[in-house]
Each structure stands twice: as C-alpha cells, then as structure tokens.
Amino acid sequence: MNLNDDITTIKGIGPKTAAPFRRAGIFYVYDLLTYYPSTYKTYPEVSAVLTAEEGESAAICAPVKNIYERCAYGKTITTAALSVMGLSVNLVWFNQRYLKRSLKPGIRYVFYGRVSYKGRTPELVQPQYFTIADYQKKVGVKLPVYPKVFGLTDKLIEKAVRQVLSEVNITEYLSDDILEKYQLLGLPSAFNNIHFPENSKMLSKARERIAFDEFFMFLLSHRLSALEEEKVPNTLGKFDTSICEKIKASLPYKLTKGQDGALNDLLRDFNGKYITQRLIQGDVGSGKTIVAFCSMAVMAYNGYTSAIMAPTEVLANQHYQKLLSLTKRLGLEIPTVLLTGHVKGKARREALEQTASGVPSFVVGTHALFQEKVQFKNLALVITDEQHRFGVKQRNALIEKGRSVFSVVMSATPIPRTLSLILYQGMNISTITEKPSVRKPLKNAVIDPSLRKNAYALFVREVRAGHQGIIICPLVEPSENAEGENVEEYYEKLKNTLPSDITIGKLYGPMSSEKKDAVMSDFASGKTDILVSTTVIEVGVDVPNATVIMIEDAQKFGLAQLHQLRGRVGRGDAQAYCMFVDTSGSKTPSKRLEVLKASNDGFYIANADLKMRGPGDAFGVRQSGDIAFKIADIYNDSALLAKASECVEKLLSEDPELKSMPELKKFLTEESERSYSNL
Ligand code: ADP
Ligand code: MG
C-alpha cells in the first residue's frame, strides 16, 4: 500500500464505505493518515460507586442481574439491570441483537459509557463492555476520537488507520541533522502516536513533529515558488533623500527611533537593486503617516509620482489636507490630487489628467483607487494605509498590480513577528514599537450605564480645559432590527443634557461626502467640542486635541476594533481617557473589555485577540483558505513556527534545489499531485 493509493485499497473500504470518507475529504491513504483525532478519550479506572453526574462517562463493574430484549419503533432494544453497591443501574442498547446471547447473567463485566438519569435511576446508554482482564489493559490508554462526519464512526476510522499504519511504509523525509537539531520525533513514530498515543509524552512529541512539518512544508513551498518568481530590477536610478532632513527639521517634534528606522528602511529599498514590498506595522498613534509622507516626498523630489490609499473617504481627505499643508509649509511645488468616489465632474477630470500627465505628484485616494481605471504615468510608489484586514490573497493581488512599483502597506494591527513572517512571506517588515514619548498612557474604564452622568461630567471638564471628546454609538438611527444606541437620538439627547454652549456634531457613514468632510473639518479645527459618531471614525482619524472618548454598547464591538476606536484620543500631550459602556446588563465583566482595560499595548491586545478568536479569524486568513493547518496553531506554536522558518531558510540557502534531500523532493511532488487531483 502506498500513500498515494486510493482509500478503496484499504481492506473493508469498498465503493460504498468510501463515500463518507470522501465526504470527510479523505481520498488517498495519505489523507487518512493525516485525518487527525480531534481529541482523545481515556478509559477511567473502574469506579466502585457510581458518582458520575448526568452526561459524564463512567466505568462500572458488576454482574448482570437480568437482560431482555424488546422491539419498539422498529428497533431492537436490549436492556440489562445491574446492582452496583446496592444501587440499581440500567443499561440500554439499540439494535444490538447479539448482546442477549453474549452477556451472561451472573458474570461480572466492566461497562463503560455516558451516564444519564431517568428519575433517580442512573442509566448507561449504548455502553461498551469488556471482560475485567481486557478492561485493565485499556485503563489510562488514550484512544482517538475523530472529527464527526455523517456515516463515519470512530471505530471505522480507527480500523482503517490501524491497517494503514501497519502496511504503509512511511519514509522519513527530513535529514538526521534536522531531526537531531530540533529534537523531532521520527515520522513513522509521529504518525503512530498521533493516532494511538503510547503515553502523553509521546503524544506531545508527535503533535510537535506534525506541527513542525505543517509549518515547514508551508514555508518551503512558498519559498520555492518565490525563488522561481523573477525579481524586478530597480531601474529608477539613485535617489536623493535630502528632502527628508528638511521635512524633519520643519516638524514640531523629533521622530521616534521606530519612525526613523522605518523611514531608513524605505530609503534603503528605493536605492536597492530590486523593486520591493514593505509592511510597516505600528500601533495606533505610533506615527506612521509622517513616515509615509517623507517617502512620498522623496519620490516627488526625484521625479516620480506616488499614491497613498486609505480605507475611508474621511481618512483619504485627512491625508489630502495634511499633504497640502506639508507642501505649503515647505514651499514645495508638488501637485496633490484627491481621487475618491465622490470626486466627480470637472474635479475628477482634472485629477485624472494630472495622474496621466507624468508630472511628479501626490495622489490620495480610497482603496478603490486601484480597482478603477486610473492611468498612472511615472508612478513609482503605492502606499496602502490602515490595511488591518490584510489577507494573503490581497497581498498577492497588490503585488500583481504593481510589480514594477514599490509598495508599502501600513497596518495598525501589530502582528507577532512570527505570524507576520508567515502572512507576509517575502515582504520586508518594519515595526514601529514605541509611541511618541511625550504621550501619557490612556486611562481606561469599563462603566455601567448608571455611571453615564459621571462620564458626561468628565466630558464637560475636558471641554472646559480646551479639549474635545468623541462618543461612539453602534447605530446611525433607531432600528427595529438592532439594539443599541444610535447617533441621531444620542445627539439630540446630548444637546439637552450638556450645557448649551458646548457644541456637538454628528458623523456617520451614509452622510454625503461633502457633509462628512465638513463635520470632520469642524471637529479637526476645534469648532465642534464633542462629536457623536459611528465607527466610521475608526480608522486613522487624527485630532490630537481630542482627549476623551466614550464607546456605547462596547460589548458589541471586537477587540481590535475597540482598540482602534480608543486610538482616536491620546494623540497629543494631554492626559486622555477612554470609557467603555457595557450595556449587556451582565454581572460578569466582558473578557474583551477587561483585556482593553488592562493594557494600551496593541501587541498585547493582538495576542489576546488571537487567543480568543483564533489567529485565522482575527486576521481574515481562515476565510481566504490560504493557510490551513490541521495540527499547528499559529499562536500557540509560534516557537515551533520560528524553528521551522529557520530550518527552511538554512536548507534553501545551502541547497536550494534540495539535492541532498531526495525523499523530501519526492514528498513535495507527490503532495502537489494529490492536491491537483483534489481540485
Ligand atoms: P498612526 O500611526 O496611527 O497613523 P499618525 O501618523 O496619525 O498615527 O500620528 C498620530 C499623531 O502623532 C499625529 O498627530 C502626529 O502628528 C503625531 N506624531 C507623529 N510622530 C510623532 C512624534 N515623533 N512625536 C510626537 N508626535 C508625533
Ligand atoms: Mg494612520
């Protein structure tokens, strides 16, 4: 039997029994071998008295008092009665006719099964039974429990797997050196132990080996295809980067070490041999924008156009305004154009003429910019801002779009380094770890709705001190279908509650773009004291004078989103405050809100988010289906991931054609054959 054989070569799996296996995605012998148990069960010691509660499993030992069979609803029902230390226990089986003959009254057996109570009488439904000697051999042994698929039982899978394990020759494809260096279990032993663990220690070694291999194969195949991809040579010429110094000198602050580092990385890229892609990650408020602007200025200064794309109109407009004031301050003559869905008519025509003209300029737009048929001439840099739902697929699409331009992605979701290594394969990464040091850490509180009065008092105090505030509601207007505060009513309510000289604004997605811009610029200029908004304000909006934010129905939002929202305040020097209103009425505090209260550190939040939701969900990867590990867990196995990555790098640098590892090459070829025919 071979790993690439069809499962019907396994004894007992004919065309008919193969159907449920195929439903479970098992086509080849190899698929069965890698159909891992979702958990294991252990047979417990026999209990002398039955103390198990409803739903728990127990093993009891007693002689059968009587056993009889009846028919009901077209089924044969076999019942037996036991007496365990004076307690009556009933056993029930369905459609197991042979039982009446094999279970002899008066003889002691061990019965193992789930307990349910009929009144006060415990009952074991469909229990397994063993002779005492047989059971003793099983106690403490871990047995596989497989993911449930209709028509497949653990027994069926177990039998097939045992046969495969005994008949297939599993060849080790990793070298002894690698196994030794990373202390990995051999492949045959790993497969045996993942299905039928000898003990807990072997199981964890088996898990480790298989997780390592999953990471290893993933990284290796991506690396191999990256090696085949041709690098685009950088023919843009030598860049004069002196403009950066001028910009820096004009700023009211000094760049942080992380900002300087990221900028220098970019400048080095521009003067490098090849066109590159870079991810700049930094928590909200770490100051990514100025880094982007400096790099754009370098492009313009050297005769090239650059584009920056934002996820929302509000943010695009903010970038546009800031770029305008930057060029004005520095006296630079760089045409700056805005291209969003709402720039229409003459303004749009002019913007398009500008991008097609080849005159070095700044182009600002929403993410849709690249989907549209915008003609660019002389484009050399594309920056994508606030791309925190950035999946592997989008990344590839982006690279496809602009193979000959530098691309930079800025993300506020700090992804643990090991994880970004996988997600952004082949991309360069700069991380801004610190926030400008002048800032005081945000003060957080989770409050009950009854404390709103105190919260409003804080808003008034801050406004009196010359600052501004933001209140977030989940909804735009009252809705029949959704519960929660809405901006329209909240705005009215607030006007009646707060002193009349305090100016209040409102902002939400469905407003016209002119209206949104007007509201935002009133808030940015300080004309509006308090802004009531939906989450449209979430991404990137920068008003350093805002010092207090309150998020209504906070329990309804996701962790990452709440962290983004509170990042709208605390961007200046003054102390800032964030209040999460938990309207759930629940006595136990929400886990997510507790995490946010405990820390302002985006890395910590991202890790907590990963733990609670699983890495795939947190970053939109699971849906994209690009990364499907069966055993490995990107978060919990991050140390292993780092090892696998190190191993792959070393291997490819020494032996890019894998000449020294023929077994590995063979495995990769076979695997790609399997996955192609599964499509
Ligand atoms: P983000 O990384 O979230 O995009 P921004 O680029 O919007 O952050 O910067 C947040 C605020 O911090 C802005 O008001 C910006 O002017 C300010 N800022 C940026 N860098 C520094 C610095 N080195 N020192 C002080 N303030 C800074
Ligand atoms: Mg930003």
Side-chain angles (χ1 to χ4, degrees):
M1 196 186 294
N2 282 312
L3 290 180
N4 265 16
D5 287 347
D6 193 87
I7 42 164
T8 47
T9 41
I10 299 170
K11 229 189 301 154
I13 303 185
K16 211 170 141 205
T17 19
F21 280 96
R22 299 216 162 99
R23 269 204 297 279
I26 304 170
F27 298 88
Y28 300 98
V29 170
Y30 180 80
D31 300 334
L32 184 65
L33 202 59
T34 53
Y35 194 73
Y36 303 120
S38 51
T39 174
Y40 301 84
K41 65 179 176 201
T42 329
Y43 287 105
E45 296 280 355
V46 174
S47 47
V49 281
L50 189 61
T51 52
E53 290 186 16
E54 174 85 29
E56 289 178 354
S57 293
I60 48 176
C61 180
V64 176
K65 276 205 300 203
N66 56 53
I67 180 162
Y68 57 90
E69 224 175 65
R70 68 193 161 97
C71 278
Y73 316 111
K75 284 182 190 157
T76 312
I77 301 175
T78 313
T79 37
L82 311 174
S83 168
V84 183
M85 303 286 278
L87 176 74
S88 296
V89 179
N90 289 331
L91 310 175
V92 187
W93 292 272
F94 302 100
N95 290 336
Q96 299 204 12
R97 286 218 198 142
Y98 56 90
L99 272 176
K100 189 154 183 284
R101 263 176 291 133
S102 42
L103 284 177
K104 303 269 186 311
I107 307 252
R108 296 176 81 92
Y109 297 94
V110 177
F111 297 96
Y112 170 77
R114 199 183 291 265
V115 180
S116 74
Y117 284 85
K118 284 270 147 58
R120 301 178 61 184
T121 310
E123 189 175 274
L124 296 188
V125 184
Q126 298 275 66
Q128 292 177 275
Y129 67 95
F130 308 90
T131 65
I132 296 176
D134 278 351
Y135 192 78
Q136 282 318 319
K137 280 185 232 150
K138 292 210 177 260
V139 173
V141 172
K142 279 189 161 60
L143 286 172
V145 177
Y146 291 97
K148 290 279 162 292
V149 169
F150 180 71
L152 270 188
T153 60
D154 283 338
K155 229 175 168 174
L156 208 58
I157 302 173
E158 199 185 311
K159 215 175 123 213
V161 171
R162 280 193 196 278
Q163 203 197 333
V164 168
L165 284 171
S166 71
E167 287 186 27
V168 170
N169 200 1
I170 299 169
T171 9
E172 180 59 69
Y173 43 67
L174 293 184
S175 67
D176 290 348
D177 286 353
I178 294 177
L179 295 180
E180 174 101 8
K181 179 163 181 201
Y182 299 103
Q183 296 284 304
L184 297 171
L185 196 62
L187 202 56
S189 175
F191 278 126
N192 272 289
N193 276 283
I194 198 84
H195 289 283
F196 307 107
E198 284 165 40
N199 51 48
S200 306
K201 187 154 176 263
M202 288 305 279
L203 174 58
S204 91
K205 289 301 284 178
R207 251 204 96 256
E208 192 180 296
R209 168 66 205 261
I210 290 167
F212 181 91
D213 283 22
E214 286 181 344
F215 287 143
F216 180 87
M217 293 301 171
F218 176 87
L219 293 167
L220 184 64
S221 50
H222 273 70
R223 274 286 190 261
L224 286 172
S225 54
L227 283 181
E228 281 169 19
E229 252 172 43
E230 259 179 80
K231 284 190 174 170
V232 180
N234 178 6
T235 53
L236 300 177
K238 191 104 187 96
F239 280 84
D240 174 354
T241 60
S242 60
I243 185 72
C244 288
E245 295 314 314
K246 265 189 216 150
I247 296 179
K248 282 193 213 172
S250 81
L251 292 174
Y253 50 78
K254 205 170 159 295
L255 290 193
T256 64
K257 238 172 78 196
Q259 285 173 311
D260 260 327
L263 181 57
N264 288 336
D265 288 344
L266 283 176
L267 301 182
R268 213 173 321 111
D269 289 349
F270 295 167
N271 277 323
K273 258 182 153 163
Y274 299 102
I275 299 293
T276 52
Q277 290 87 38
R278 181 171 292 278
L279 165 71
I280 297 180
Q281 54 175 15
D283 202 358
V284 280
S286 60
K288 297 181 289 293
T289 316
I290 189 66
V291 174
F293 287 179
C294 284
S295 67
M296 292 171 79
V298 169
M299 281 293 167
Y301 206 65
N302 288 273
Y304 298 103
T305 290
S306 52
I308 182 163
M309 302 190 286
T312 63
E313 301 237 340
V314 169
L315 190 53
N317 201 47
Q318 182 181 286
H319 282 334
Y320 177 67
Q321 299 298 343
K322 281 192 175 183
L323 273 171
L324 284 182
S325 72
L326 182 79
T327 44
K328 201 165 148 212
R329 206 167 63 225
L330 291 168
L332 295 173
E333 303 249 324
I334 303 171
T336 304
V337 295
L338 181 66
L339 261 175
T340 66
H342 286 91
V343 177
K344 292 199 177 100
K346 184 159 167 268
R348 185 169 202 86
R349 254 194 330 273
E350 283 174 4
L352 291 174
E353 269 165 29
Q354 180 67 46
T355 63
S357 72
V359 175
S361 38
F362 294 151
V363 183
V364 186
T366 41
H367 285 176
L369 183 62
F370 250 53
Q371 264 111 51
E372 293 171 38
K373 291 205 172 61
V374 180
Q375 288 241 336
F376 282 105
K377 204 170 156 197
N378 227 354
L379 182 71
L381 169 67
V382 174
I383 299 176
T384 314
D385 190 17
E386 296 295 350
Q387 187 62 287
H388 54 285
R389 296 265 176 270
F390 194 60
V392 180
K393 289 230 164 106
Q394 286 96 310
R395 173 194 150 251
N396 290 339
L398 193 66
I399 293 176
E400 277 313 305
K401 285 248 162 64
R403 293 199 62 81
S404 56
V405 304
F406 284 97
S407 91
V408 173
V409 172
M410 302 201 298
S411 167
T413 306
I415 299 166
R417 180 149 185 96
T418 43
L419 192 56
S420 43
L421 245 175
I422 276 212
L423 287 176
Y424 306 103
Q425 273 290 317
M427 223 179 198
N428 302 315
I429 302 173
S430 304
T431 306
I432 305 178
T433 46
E434 71 273 72
K435 290 193 192 173
S437 58
V438 288
R439 308 241 180 94
K440 298 187 181 70
L442 193 65
K443 287 193 175 155
N444 298 290
V446 179
I447 66 171
D448 188 84
S450 67
L451 289 175
R452 275 201 194 102
K453 266 204 262 54
N454 307 32
Y456 294 148
L458 179 60
F459 272 88
V460 173
R461 196 189 82 190
E462 286 301 305
V463 170
R464 295 290 177 240
H467 300 143
Q468 291 163 278
I470 300 169
I471 296 177
I472 304 291
C473 299
L475 303 174
V476 173
E477 51 191 18
S479 157
E480 280 176 21
N481 307 321
E483 271 184 47
E485 296 291 340
N486 67 81
V487 172
E488 286 291 1
E489 287 180 342
Y490 208 100
Y491 170 79
E492 295 301 329
K493 190 175 82 181
L494 212 57
K495 265 176 113 175
N496 295 327
T497 315
L498 299 184
S500 57
D501 62 315
I502 290 182
T503 49
I504 304 171
K506 56 180 176 185
L507 179 74
Y508 42 75
M511 279 179 169
S512 78
S513 138
E514 292 76 34
K515 192 93 182 282
K516 263 191 273 187
D517 288 346
V519 171
M520 267 323 293
S521 68
D522 279 354
F523 189 61
S525 68
K527 241 193 240 166
T528 310
D529 296 317
I530 296 175
L531 186 61
V532 184
S533 171
T534 58
T535 55
V536 290
I537 205 168
E538 171 192 352
V539 254
V541 167
D542 183 42
V543 179
N545 194 41
T547 53
V548 52
I549 187 167
M550 178 154 86
I551 301 165
E552 290 285 352
D553 304 300
Q555 78 281 356
K556 290 186 196 273
F557 298 100
L559 246 185
Q561 192 175 27
L562 288 168
H563 183 63
Q564 285 284 328
L565 282 168
R566 71 173 168 184
R568 299 310 110 220
V569 304
R571 300 167 82 85
D573 311 345
Q575 176 64 55
Y577 307 88
C578 172
M579 289 167 288
F580 300 105
V581 186
D582 183 348
T583 55
S584 66
S586 150
K587 289 261 182 311
T588 46
S590 141
K591 252 198 208 152
R592 268 176 293 149
L593 297 183
E594 288 300 305
V595 166
L596 287 162
K597 199 176 121 185
S599 173
N600 286 321
D601 178 357
F603 267 92
Y604 175 84
I605 308 285
N607 279 340
D609 203 22
L610 281 173
K611 267 193 200 147
M612 278 183 228
R613 297 202 287 166
D617 292 341
F619 297 107
V621 178
R622 194 158 289 160
Q623 301 95 299
S624 80
D626 276 351
I627 299 181
F629 299 125
K630 290 179 178 171
I631 292 279
D633 173 319
I634 304 180
Y635 179 71
N636 288 312
D637 299 321
S638 58
L640 207 54
L641 173 53
K643 286 182 193 168
S645 154
E646 177 196 88
C647 184
V648 167
E649 295 307 322
K650 183 160 182 287
L651 181 63
L652 289 183
S653 70
E654 289 167 359
D655 180 12
E657 283 166 44
L658 305 179
K659 283 196 183 116
S660 65
M661 298 180 81
E663 294 297 346
L664 179 60
K665 243 181 134 161
K666 186 163 161 255
F667 177 85
L668 287 173
T669 320
E670 286 181 358
E671 178 150 272
S672 68
E673 278 167 18
R674 273 193 300 271
S675 50
Y676 275 118
S677 50
N678 272 357
L679 286 178

